[in-house]
Amino acid sequence: MNNRIEYRPFEWVPNDFSLKGTDEKVYTLEQFRGSKGLVVMFICNHCPYVKAITNQLVIDVKVLKENGISSIAIMSNDVVNYPDDSFENMKKFSERNNFNFPYVIDETQFVAKDFMALCTPDFFGFDAELKLQYRGRLNSAGKNQTSSETKNDLVDAMLLISKNGIRPEEQIPSIGCSIKWKKN
């Protein structure tokens, strides 16, 4: 039995998508990429790991945006078996947490499968050409409060990639709840 986790290779370019956001607008990957990069994050409403980072996530997205890097959050969980992650609850969650990025629903789970997303939160950082350069955690705090000792992995990586095209050699995987896949 093979227990090896597979990831998309660096330089992988994702397929475009068209997903509805909590603001009722439809977002595509191509239209949303920033001039210097894009962060695609898989999150959900009920995960304690996501709940623990939402305040820091909003702060980090603001920093990225100021540097020409766009961000979009995708919720891919099975909402039938996990109603806390319903579209209506996504709207409430994004409003309550003052999301400064689109929060979209992947009802078919095709996007999560295309990205080989594993958990919530799961972060994918792309350069200006939409080539994957970062796959890792938000920061070293995990579910703990951030402090002056916290290593800001995602922001640091994306700023490095946007400035000189060099991805960080060390990329630590995100920890969180598994994506809740629909049963076939």
Side-chain angles (χ1 to χ4, degrees):
M1 180 169 193
N2 181 0
N3 288 330
R4 196 174 93 86
I5 295 172
E6 292 192 40
Y7 295 105
R8 289 288 183 200
F10 289 118
E11 306 290 322
W12 168 73
V13 177
N15 293 309
D16 201 5
F17 55 71
S18 181
L19 300 172
K20 183 169 80 169
T22 55
D23 58 3
E24 300 293 334
K25 295 179 185 174
V26 174
Y27 292 89
T28 67
L29 179 71
E30 187 58 40
Q31 84 183 61
F32 205 72
R33 72 180 183 182
S35 61
K36 294 188 177 178
L38 171 68
V39 170
V40 176
M41 46 197 154
F42 289 85
I43 67 171
C44 70
N45 310 329
H46 85 274
C47 173
Y49 291 89
V50 173
K51 288 178 178 180
I53 65 159
T54 52
N55 290 337
Q56 188 61 48
L57 189 58
V58 169
I59 293 166
D60 289 356
V61 165
K62 182 176 186 273
V63 170
L64 294 171
K65 190 175 193 175
E66 290 167 353
N67 286 278
I69 302 163
S70 295
S71 300
I72 189 167
I74 301 173
M75 201 299 295
S76 298
N77 280 352
D78 172 4
V79 299
V80 172
N81 289 307
Y82 296 87
D84 286 350
D85 291 332
S86 72
F87 189 67
E88 286 306 312
N89 286 328
M90 286 174 61
K91 288 179 179 181
K92 293 173 188 171
F93 188 70
S94 69
E95 188 175 309
R96 186 171 53 249
N97 290 290
N98 300 310
F99 281 0
N100 51 357
F101 49 85
Y103 189 25
V104 300
I105 188 163
D106 175 22
E107 294 175 286
T108 64
Q109 299 186 318
F110 288 151
V111 178
K113 289 175 183 174
D114 186 43
F115 275 70
M116 294 183 171
L118 296 174
C119 62
T120 58
D122 207 353
F123 298 93
F124 295 78
F126 297 90
D127 61 21
E129 296 175 11
L130 283 182
K131 293 180 180 174
L132 182 64
Q133 300 296 333
Y134 181 77
R135 171 81 186 275
R137 66 186 183 182
L138 178 68
N139 60 36
S140 62
K143 285 178 29 177
N144 301 318
Q145 289 289 90
T146 57
S147 70
S148 59
E149 305 293 313
T150 301
K151 184 174 183 280
N152 296 314
D153 300 47
L154 177 67
V155 169
D156 292 347
M158 291 308 297
L159 293 178
L160 182 68
I161 292 161
S162 72
K163 285 184 173 69
N164 58 24
I166 298 171
R167 68 177 157 262
E169 210 164 294
E170 181 182 39
Q171 297 188 20
I172 300 169
S174 192
I175 297 173
C177 299
S178 65
I179 300 258
K180 307 309 182 210
W181 300 106
K182 294 178 183 179
K183 296 188 179 13
N184 295 335

